[in-house]
Amino acid sequence: MQSIKEIPVKLTQLFDTVHHMKKIEKGTFLFQEGSSANELYIVQSGIIQISKIIPDGRELTLRMCSKGDFIGELDLFSPAPRYLLSARVAESGDVAVIMKDVLEEKLAKNHDLSLEFMKWMSQQYRKTQTRFRDLVLHGKKGALYSTLIRITNSYGINTNQGILIELPLTNQELANFCGTSREVVNRLLSDLRKSGIISIDKGSITIHDLDYLKNEIDCEDCSPEICKID
């Protein structure tokens, strides 16, 4: 098995329980909200978008998962579990499949391992909590700025022109992260381009003034491990 990107070394023994490998194709769902949750997954390659359909029918993207990420953990130790979120494949790849009951048994028997797993889960919760904070406190503009900062921390590379975001995202996909419409994101991105804060070339965004985005949302300078979208 390939190395685990985010999960601490102390937790890697959880993945001795991998049952089999599964290929995933772009545009399909690994699982959908409301379906029976009997499996958990470790991404080996590709990109998977984790999202929630909100009451008005819009899609709110919570995470973009890539190599080493663990998916489906919210449904552990739940009676008659059903997935709380949907997992759409954004780039084809492979996932390692873990049976939920096997992992639950391993955690129940190993208290030290369970404690480490709880610590890891707490960090994932903090990531989601800070995203919702930005959305609630700063509205649509703050949600977009926060998303750009998080994408930069997850997929940004430094160049002579600024920080290039290597993750290709459409404006609709950005809108899904913000819980808003594509039209709103189009307008906000246009304003940022006119001000020289960002530039966009063939769909790739370069951030020229990251401090501006941070100041606009009163950024608390959380560690990059928390301020991410993966």
Side-chain angles (χ1 to χ4, degrees):
M1 175 173 301
Q2 298 177 26
S3 61
I4 306 304
K5 176 180 63 176
E6 288 195 20
I7 296 176
V9 173
K10 292 180 181 178
L11 287 180
T12 55
Q13 60 181 296
L14 287 175
F15 308 112
D16 295 339
T17 54
V18 168
H19 186 266
H20 64 278
M21 300 295 296
K22 179 177 181 178
K23 289 192 174 297
I24 51 175
E25 299 295 333
K26 181 178 180 178
T28 63
F29 283 91
L30 183 59
F31 55 80
Q32 289 184 274
E33 183 178 345
S35 60
S36 296
N38 299 313
E39 298 175 342
L40 301 96
Y41 307 91
I42 310 167
V43 182
Q44 299 297 288
S45 61
I47 297 177
I48 298 175
Q49 174 181 309
I50 306 299
S51 60
K52 175 80 173 177
I53 301 300
I54 54 182
D56 64 5
R58 286 177 294 157
E59 184 178 15
L60 178 61
T61 301
L62 300 175
R63 296 168 61 195
M64 295 291 282
C65 299
S66 55
K67 179 182 175 182
D69 284 325
F70 189 30
I71 300 173
E73 72 281 2
L74 295 178
D75 302 288
L76 281 170
F77 297 104
S78 300
R82 294 189 177 276
Y83 291 113
L84 302 175
L85 305 169
S86 294
R88 187 199 306 272
V89 181
E91 286 188 10
S92 300
D94 298 273
V95 294
V97 181
I98 300 174
M99 305 310 294
K100 175 177 172 291
D101 56 349
V102 174
L103 183 54
E104 287 177 342
E105 182 178 1
K106 191 174 186 71
L107 288 170
K109 291 180 177 178
N110 189 327
H111 293 171
D112 290 338
L113 190 60
S114 295
L115 178 60
E116 292 299 323
F117 189 78
M118 289 172 62
K119 290 178 181 177
W120 177 80
M121 284 284 289
S122 176
Q123 185 180 49
Q124 308 314 304
Y125 171 74
R126 287 178 63 196
K127 291 180 185 178
T128 302
Q129 185 182 48
T130 55
R131 285 198 62 229
F132 282 132
R133 176 201 63 200
D134 292 341
L135 179 59
V136 170
L137 292 181
H138 301 289
K140 297 172 183 177
K141 183 174 78 170
L144 176 62
Y145 290 8
S146 171
T147 297
L148 290 174
I149 293 168
R150 293 170 192 280
I151 293 175
T152 297
N153 286 337
S154 295
Y155 295 97
I157 59 171
N158 290 312
T159 70
N160 292 333
Q161 288 73 40
I163 305 174
L164 172 66
I165 295 174
E166 284 200 304
L167 179 68
L169 289 173
T170 66
N171 286 5
Q172 182 59 62
E173 288 169 328
L174 281 174
N176 291 346
F177 272 107
C178 305
T180 188
S181 67
R182 180 171 54 85
E183 290 74 19
V184 169
V185 167
N186 289 346
R187 176 175 55 79
L188 292 172
L189 288 176
S190 178
D191 291 343
L192 289 173
R193 290 178 70 177
K194 291 175 182 177
S195 301
I197 307 301
I198 68 170
S199 60
I200 303 176
D201 181 31
K202 298 179 181 178
S204 295
I205 298 176
T206 298
I207 309 293
H208 301 295
D209 192 346
L210 187 62
D211 287 338
Y212 173 86
L213 299 178
K214 290 183 175 182
N215 290 335
E216 285 293 299
I217 62 170
D218 301 318
C219 179
E220 297 178 0
D221 282 324
C222 300
S223 73
E225 290 303 311
I226 298 298
C227 188
K228 300 174 72 175
I229 62 163
D230 55 8

